[in-house]
Amino acid sequence: MRQIDLQAEIARLRQLGSDFEDLHSEIRSLALTPGTDARQQLTAKIVDTNELVQQAMFRLAALDGSQYTAIPGSRPALELLASVVLAASVAASDLACALEANPLEGAPFPGPPGDDAAVRTARHAEAVPAMAEHLANAAHQLDLAYTGCYYLAGGITRDLKQHAEQQQAIPVPEITASQYAVLSRLSTGGGTRYIISRHGVLKAIDKDRATVNVATLNALIKRGLVEVDTTTSLHQGQRLDVTAEGQRALALHKPATTPARTAAVTPPATKQAAAGRTR
């Protein structure tokens, strides 16, 4: 489970929603004259839309597999973000359809002479409503995309707040100093456990390939503070990651403190008595 800055992701989703909203307004106000001018405008908008599709996929990749997936409500949120990718992709496709419907000038195949002006007028008359329909469809899909981004940003913020309130009501998992040390090392990059085939001995290392105490690790796994990727075999190596509960134990752990030793103080009367005996 990757640890990411969820507040930064929320800000990026809001910015992405704003970018989709701006593009939506541009598409709605687009006035196309069939021909080269329309091709140039549509080409620019297709490029802009595909760039936003890429940004939406980046946001989906960041949230998927992060600590956010452990929060209730994260699954429908990720599905909504995938639908944003779909809506934006369909918008780009609609713009491409408008580009295809746009009549371009060029010489026809050889044949009997015809009225080029009349043909051109007929082609433009046919293209204008078709292009307008594709633009309207693209604008609708972009409307869905920017609405989805704004809803996601608010939803993730709400999910995090509710989850934090629920976690405060749950007792903090108590961990020992040795467990705290192992969790700290695994929380920054994870680790791996594996078997040495030659001896059949279970080993574990952190991201820096420093050895992790297996007994302590097993205790953390049993308590659900560390998760193991069992999709691979121990001979290949199984990834170790700190769970959300493990992160909570880390954040709220209070190391035991040893009371400071106080210097013994000799009462004045005792000092006087001792001085008298030495005379």
Side-chain angles (χ1 to χ4, degrees):
M1 182 181 295
R2 301 187 313 277
Q3 299 299 311
I4 63 173
D5 187 341
L6 289 173
Q7 294 303 323
E9 283 303 313
I10 291 170
R12 293 186 183 106
L13 281 170
R14 287 199 175 100
Q15 181 59 55
L16 182 60
S18 177
D19 292 340
F20 273 125
E21 187 173 15
D22 289 343
L23 183 58
H24 167 263
S25 298
E26 292 170 9
I27 296 299
R28 282 180 59 87
S29 61
L30 204 60
L32 296 179
T33 300
T36 300
D37 181 64
R39 178 191 59 77
Q40 292 173 339
Q41 293 184 72
L42 288 169
T43 298
K45 298 310 175 189
I46 292 170
V47 171
D48 292 342
T49 306
N50 280 319
E51 287 179 353
L52 295 185
V53 171
Q54 185 180 43
Q55 290 300 319
M57 289 190 292
F58 285 159
R59 302 284 62 79
L60 181 59
L63 289 171
D64 184 32
S66 74
Q67 76 270 28
Y68 176 61
T69 58
I71 296 176
S74 58
R75 183 188 300 171
L78 292 175
E79 290 172 349
L80 175 56
L81 186 48
S83 74
V84 168
V85 174
L86 173 61
S89 300
V90 172
S93 177
D94 279 314
L95 292 173
C97 288
L99 179 67
E100 190 273 336
N102 176 47
L104 298 174
E105 301 302 326
F109 287 113
D115 188 343
D116 291 341
V119 171
R120 182 175 183 275
T121 300
R123 293 177 66 213
H124 284 206
E126 182 181 354
V128 168
M131 295 168 65
E133 182 179 358
H134 290 308
L135 286 180
N137 291 338
H140 172 67
Q141 295 298 329
L142 291 172
D143 177 58
L144 296 177
Y146 82 72
T147 301
C149 286
Y150 287 142
Y151 183 85
L152 270 168
I156 293 174
T157 301
R158 184 172 57 254
D159 291 344
L160 293 177
K161 181 180 178 181
Q162 292 176 349
H163 184 65
E165 292 172 349
Q166 292 169 358
Q167 289 297 302
Q168 288 175 359
I170 301 174
V172 180
E174 295 185 4
I175 54 177
T176 65
S178 59
Q179 290 174 341
Y180 177 81
V182 171
L183 281 175
S184 296
R185 290 165 58 189
L186 296 179
S187 67
T188 55
T192 307
R193 75 172 184 178
Y194 59 95
I195 279 183
I196 300 177
S197 301
R198 182 178 176 184
H199 306 290
V201 178
L202 184 64
K203 295 284 187 180
I205 56 175
D206 61 18
K207 67 178 180 62
D208 297 320
R209 304 192 67 78
T211 301
V212 172
N213 184 283
V214 172
T216 303
L217 175 64
N218 287 339
L220 293 170
I221 294 171
K222 185 176 181 179
R223 297 181 60 191
L225 304 182
V226 172
E227 63 181 359
V228 183
D229 180 5
T230 57
T231 59
T232 59
S233 70
L234 282 168
H235 295 287
Q236 293 175 295
Q238 297 177 332
R239 180 171 174 80
L240 303 169
D241 285 294
V242 177
T243 64
E245 193 70 358
Q247 293 289 349
R248 183 166 176 262
L250 265 179
L252 300 177
H253 176 68
K254 295 180 179 179
T257 57
T258 302
R261 297 180 62 183
T262 57
V265 178
T266 305
T270 305
K271 289 183 179 180
Q272 292 176 359
R277 287 195 298 269
T278 57
R279 290 176 182 175

